[in-house]
């Protein structure tokens, strides 16, 4: 009979020192047994080269009793007495093993350095011989020392993926380990287990799987409390609820990472900031550290009303669009967002140059403090089905590096079906994995999809509705959905796609008034740059605005036509008619401190030919032109 065969299971666990009530502090060693002396590995060449005693935790680990108990039971199995810990990176797999070594001095716990074992191999299959040597040394040490040896192999998949020889060497090692007093405790992630280990059924059958889930909220708070106790001077006051704030912030804003590692990382950064600056250890410190580490502005409440005003100041005469966006942001402001989806998703519909991209930039600035918090993808670059993987990789990389951002997917109708299906996954559960299996979370992003489809919907309701933005939105919503559903036979805007969009946002074609506001803004920008960069004051002829209105915007085929390019076309005209001649003057006259922009010749309005052109369908070309000269108006 074995030494445990005559006692029940609970007694076996107690003898191993791995059990105990969950609310009690675990014992420091095996009951009734003295602390084991340090072991000299010098006589065991393989162990001395590639292994070392497991580090002992500085304080008891709580909240992992289930995993520890299952490990204890597995190591008492008469045949398969090896274990593999499976869990996300950061869940504390290594810490569980270290805690087991602290509680159980009846075994000698050694950690294998896998990276060192992989170095200097003449060929990958040589790993088999290296593993056999390591295991033989462990068996000899167990016999010499009179106690079993536990070999902890973290990143176990690295050995398996290295070579066929390594896999074949592991099978007999694991099969006879219990007979020679050696146990193997492996650890890896679920994804790496499935990819590298699970295809080899014989290897899988030699390991009992222990699932390491993320700790519950209370256990993680206790871990952070313990961390602060160890690393802060006892005289440093800690605001009540500080640990709770750390755990809540990391759960909300670092969803791609696992507990308790992410909470410990933030607590560690808080301690470092406190030591460096002397700041209080309070919730404001948590907010500061979270913004530095991942760009999260956790103390900034969303002001939907203020954002509405800001959006109107950035995008001219698109009250229906800004009203739709601001209304949806009320959900975020109230905290009603679904944590398993992006914060919000919008479909911006309208012709080119009406302010869709500008509104996305303004949204990024209002939510995250900068236009640069917008990640833009031109979906025409992913029109081919074969480029879907490139889109996946680029999307994951950008959002992983900037998780708090507005993600702009421009002209979705030009993307391939495969790229659109990837987007559906993002909209559905706010997650996407790259080609290496690394998962990226989109739960802190605002997704904006743009399209030129349904731009003609305003022809059915009138471009400028007198009933206000709310009434206009009510009229437009069913019309836009019908247009989108029928666009290109429903290939792009499927019911599955539209059903995942939180808000469809319509953009009106530019009016004359809006176009003139763009002209004024762009001309003012030219004058400001001339003064700021060159110290040159630019005076502008009042007739310049009349020139744009009559000769450019209202002329036949002008930019008032929504298909002519909208605001982009207006900006281009200001660039060619004003910015270019002003720049040429400054370059040619480096000593001049002042110039004037004037209009020479008669405007079309002044010639009284515009109506004649409209009546007789004759295109009348403007004879007026912009000139820049030295001096100022008198």
């Amino acid at each position: 009979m074995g030494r445990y065969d005559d006692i029940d299971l609970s007694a076996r666990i107690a003898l191993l020192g791995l059990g105990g009530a969950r609310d009690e502090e675990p014992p420091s060693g095996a009951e009734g047994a003295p602390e084991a002396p340090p072991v000299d590995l010098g006589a065991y060449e393989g162990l001395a080269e590639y292994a070392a005693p497991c580090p002992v935790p500085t304080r008891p680990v709580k909240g992992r009793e289930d995993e520890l108990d299952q490990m204890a039971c597995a190591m008492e199995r008469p045949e398969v007495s090896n274990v593999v810990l499976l869990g996300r990176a950061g869940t504390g797999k290594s810490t569980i093993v270290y805690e087991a070594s602290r509680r159980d001095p009846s075994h000698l716990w050694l950690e294998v350095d896998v990276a060192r074992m992989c170095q200097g191999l003449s060929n990958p299959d040589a790993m088999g011989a290296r593993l056999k040597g390591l295991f033989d040394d462990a068996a000899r040490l167990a016999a010499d020392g009179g106690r079993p040896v536990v070999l902890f192999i973290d990143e176990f998949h690295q050995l398996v993926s290295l070579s066929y020889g390594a896999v074949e060497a592991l099978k007999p090692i694991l099969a006879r380990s219990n007979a020679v007093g050696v146990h193997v405790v492996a650890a890896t992630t679920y994804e790496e287990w499935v990819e590298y280990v699970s295809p080899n059924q014989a290897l899988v059958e030699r390991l009992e799987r222990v699932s390491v889930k993320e700790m519950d909220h209370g256990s993680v708070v206790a871990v952070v409390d313990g961390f602060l106790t160890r690393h802060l001077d006892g005289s440093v006051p800690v605001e009540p609820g500080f640990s709770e704030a750390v755990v809540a912030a990391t759960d909300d804003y670092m969803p791609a990472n696992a507990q308790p590692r992410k909470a410990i990382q933030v607590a560690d950064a808080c301690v470092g900031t406190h030591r460096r600056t002397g700041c209080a250890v309070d919730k404001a410190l948590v907010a500061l550290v979270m913004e530095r580490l991942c760009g999260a502005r956790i103390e900034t409440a969303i002001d939907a009303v203020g954002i509405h005003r800001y959006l109107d100041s950035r995008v001219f005469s698109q009250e229906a669009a800004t009203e739709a966006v601001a209304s949806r942001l009320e959900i975020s402001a109230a905290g009603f967002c679904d944590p398993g989806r992006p914060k919000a998703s919008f479909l911006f519909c309208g012709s080119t140059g009406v302010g869709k991209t500008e509104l996305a930039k303004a949204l990024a600035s209002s939510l995250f403090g900068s236009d640069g918090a917008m990640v833009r993808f031109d979906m025409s670059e992913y029109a081919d089905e074969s480029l879907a993987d490139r889109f996946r990789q680029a999307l994951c990389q950008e959002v992983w590096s900037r998780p708090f951002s507005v993600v702009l997917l421009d002209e979705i109708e030009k993307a391939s079906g495969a790229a659109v299906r990837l987007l559906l996954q993002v909209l559905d559960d706010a997650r996407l994995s790259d080609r290496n299996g690394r998962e990226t979370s989109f739960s802190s992003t605002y997704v904006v999809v743009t399209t030129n489809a349904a731009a003609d919907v305003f022809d059915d309701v009138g471009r400028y509705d007198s009933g206000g933005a709310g009434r206009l939105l009510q009229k437009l919503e069913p019309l836009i959905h019908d247009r989108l559903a029928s666009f290109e036979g429903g290939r792009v805007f499927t019911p599955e796609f539209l059903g995942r969009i939180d808000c469809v946002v319509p953009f009106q074609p530019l009016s004359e008034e809006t176009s003139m506001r763009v002209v004024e803004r762009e001309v003012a920008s030219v004058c400001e740059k001339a003064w700021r960069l060159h110290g040159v004051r630019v005076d502008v002829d009042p007739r310049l605005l009349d020139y744009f209105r009559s000769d450019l915007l209202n002329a036949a085929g002008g930019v008032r036509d929504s298909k002519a390019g909208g605001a982009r076309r207006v900006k281009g005209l200001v660039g060619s008619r004003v910015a270019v001649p002003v720049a040429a003057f400054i370059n040619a006259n480096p000593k001049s401190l002042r110039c004037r922009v004037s209009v020479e010749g008669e405007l079309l309005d002044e010639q009284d030919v515009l109506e004649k052109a409209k009546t007789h369908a004759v295109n009348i070309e403007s004879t007026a032109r912009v000139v820049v000269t030295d001096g100022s108006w008198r």
Side-chain angles (χ1 to χ4, degrees):
M1 292 177 63
R3 62 188 179 114
Y4 299 123
D5 290 345
D6 57 344
I7 57 178
D8 62 20
L9 179 61
S10 61
R12 296 184 192 183
I13 294 174
L15 281 175
L16 281 170
L18 297 179
R22 300 191 181 193
D23 295 332
E24 297 175 358
E25 182 168 309
S28 59
E31 187 174 318
E35 293 291 331
V39 175
D40 182 10
L41 300 179
Y44 310 92
E45 183 179 353
L47 294 177
E49 181 74 14
Y50 303 120
C54 287
V56 178
T58 56
R59 65 183 296 275
V61 174
K62 295 185 179 182
R64 289 302 190 187
E65 304 305 321
D66 287 342
E67 293 87 349
L68 289 164
D69 287 352
Q70 187 179 350
M71 283 178 59
C73 293
M75 290 170 63
E76 286 301 302
R77 291 176 60 169
E79 293 188 358
V80 180
S81 61
N82 307 298
V83 173
V84 58
L85 301 177
L86 296 177
R88 294 176 61 195
T91 51
K93 298 184 291 293
S94 297
T95 301
I96 291 172
V97 177
Y98 300 157
E99 174 64 7
S101 72
R102 189 190 73 82
R103 297 187 186 189
D104 177 26
S106 66
H107 288 71
L108 176 60
W109 297 74
L110 302 176
E111 183 170 13
V112 177
D113 188 338
V114 174
R116 189 173 180 84
M117 286 198 73
C118 294
Q119 292 177 355
L121 291 172
S122 57
N123 64 78
D125 289 334
M127 176 59 79
R130 191 168 287 183
L131 282 170
K132 184 177 184 305
L134 180 76
F135 183 79
D136 290 344
D137 278 352
R140 193 157 54 89
L141 175 60
D144 294 345
R147 56 176 173 156
V149 173
V150 179
L151 295 178
F152 172 43
I153 306 176
D154 199 7
E155 305 294 340
F156 179 69
H157 65 280
Q158 291 187 8
L159 294 180
V160 178
S161 64
L162 185 65
S163 70
Y164 176 79
V167 174
E168 292 306 302
L170 279 170
K171 291 178 184 177
I173 287 175
L174 296 175
R176 66 186 182 93
S177 61
N178 195 34
V180 295
V182 178
H183 305 286
V184 173
V185 176
T188 188
T189 65
Y190 292 111
E191 294 81 8
E192 289 157 339
W193 171 267
V194 169
E195 182 173 358
Y196 298 109
V197 184
S198 62
N200 194 309
Q201 187 62 27
L203 190 59
V204 169
E205 292 173 353
R206 288 166 169 79
L207 294 162
E208 178 173 330
R209 282 166 284 181
V210 176
S211 180
V212 180
K213 299 178 181 178
E214 289 194 54
M215 293 177 115
D216 62 75
H217 182 84
S219 296
V220 181
V221 171
V223 168
V224 176
D225 284 339
F227 180 88
L228 297 174
T229 300
R230 291 195 304 276
H231 296 291
L232 284 177
D233 187 282
S235 63
V236 176
V238 178
E239 180 183 12
F242 177 84
S243 296
E244 285 272 0
V246 169
V247 178
T250 52
D251 281 341
D252 290 343
Y253 296 99
M254 302 172 70
N257 300 350
Q259 296 285 24
R261 179 184 292 175
K262 59 186 177 183
I264 293 173
Q265 288 175 335
V266 171
D268 188 49
C270 287
V271 171
T273 303
H274 163 74
R275 289 176 176 176
R276 177 69 179 84
T277 66
C279 63
V281 182
D282 55 15
K283 294 171 186 175
L285 177 58
V286 178
L288 173 64
V289 167
M290 289 297 296
E291 183 165 7
R292 287 179 173 177
L293 291 182
C294 56
R297 301 167 67 192
I298 64 177
E299 283 200 326
T300 303
I302 294 177
D303 176 9
V305 175
I307 289 178
H308 194 177
R309 289 195 297 266
Y310 177 72
L311 297 181
D312 281 336
S313 72
R314 288 278 301 264
V315 183
F316 299 148
S317 301
Q318 293 293 356
E319 289 79 7
T322 58
E323 171 76 17
V325 171
S327 295
R328 179 61 198 179
L329 291 180
E330 296 285 3
I331 298 291
S332 299
F336 291 172
C337 295
D338 183 344
R341 299 186 63 211
K343 292 290 186 184
S345 57
F346 302 96
L347 178 59
F348 287 5
C349 303
S351 55
T352 185
V354 293
K356 299 190 296 293
T357 301
E358 182 65 21
L359 184 56
K361 289 180 181 178
L363 184 62
S365 180
S366 61
L367 291 171
F368 303 116
S370 169
D371 285 14
M374 185 185 80
V375 180
R376 180 181 179 273
F377 293 88
D378 182 349
M379 298 309 294
S380 65
E381 296 179 5
Y382 305 101
D384 193 282
E385 294 282 336
S386 64
L387 299 176
D389 189 59
R390 181 187 297 177
F391 173 58
R392 173 197 295 272
Q393 199 69 12
L395 188 56
C396 286
Q397 181 176 336
E398 289 291 340
V399 174
W400 184 84
S401 62
R402 285 187 283 179
F404 301 90
S405 58
V406 170
V407 180
L408 176 64
L409 306 169
D410 215 2
E411 296 189 302
I412 189 65
E413 68 272 18
K414 297 182 180 178
S416 67
V420 173
R421 287 191 291 274
L422 289 175
L423 176 58
L424 292 181
Q425 181 180 337
V426 170
L427 296 175
D428 201 37
D429 59 9
R431 292 181 297 172
L432 190 65
S433 297
D434 65 14
R435 65 168 67 103
N436 297 316
R438 183 183 68 181
E439 186 178 277
T440 299
S441 171
F442 288 73
S443 60
S444 297
T445 65
Y446 292 78
V447 178
V448 175
V449 182
T450 77
T451 179
N452 293 334
D456 61 343
V457 73
F458 286 92
D459 296 338
D460 293 344
V461 296
R463 291 188 175 185
Y464 309 103
D465 188 270
S466 59
R471 180 180 170 187
L472 181 59
L473 283 172
Q474 292 178 358
K475 287 185 175 182
L476 289 175
E477 185 173 2
L479 293 171
I480 290 175
H481 273 271
D482 289 345
R483 290 287 201 283
L484 293 174
S486 62
F487 180 77
E488 291 191 3
R491 179 189 66 83
V492 179
F493 304 106
T494 62
E496 293 80 9
F497 179 88
L498 294 176
R500 287 170 170 80
I501 293 292
D502 294 326
C503 182
V504 175
V505 182
F507 283 74
Q508 302 181 107
L510 262 62
S511 65
E512 178 184 310
E513 177 187 357
T514 303
S515 297
M516 290 307 301
R517 291 178 67 185
V518 174
V519 170
E520 291 174 7
R521 184 181 65 185
E522 294 302 308
V523 170
S525 176
V526 172
C527 296
E528 186 275 331
K529 289 178 181 177
W531 175 255
R532 175 167 50 86
L533 299 176
H534 303 282
V536 175
R537 177 176 174 179
V538 179
D539 295 304
V540 178
D541 183 348
R543 294 176 72 232
L544 182 67
L545 296 182
D546 295 332
Y547 166 68
F548 273 91
R549 180 182 291 107
S550 69
D551 289 36
L552 300 179
L553 302 186
N554 283 345
V559 296
R560 197 175 178 184
D561 179 359
S562 63
K563 297 179 180 180
R568 289 192 182 91
R569 176 60 175 154
V570 174
K571 292 178 181 179
L573 288 171
V574 174
S576 61
R577 300 300 201 280
V578 180
V580 169
V582 168
F585 174 84
I586 292 174
N587 294 334
N589 302 275
K591 294 183 179 181
S592 180
L593 300 178
R594 198 163 188 170
C595 68
R596 62 183 182 185
V597 178
S598 58
V599 178
E600 291 184 348
E602 287 187 297
L603 306 180
L604 291 182
D605 281 354
E606 295 169 345
Q607 297 177 33
D608 195 24
V609 295
L610 191 56
E611 282 300 320
K612 181 179 178 181
K614 291 179 180 177
T615 302
H616 299 284
V618 177
N619 289 327
I620 305 296
E621 294 186 1
S622 172
T623 60
R625 66 189 185 96
V626 176
V627 296
V628 179
T629 57
D630 190 32
S632 61
W633 295 105
R634 296 171 181 168

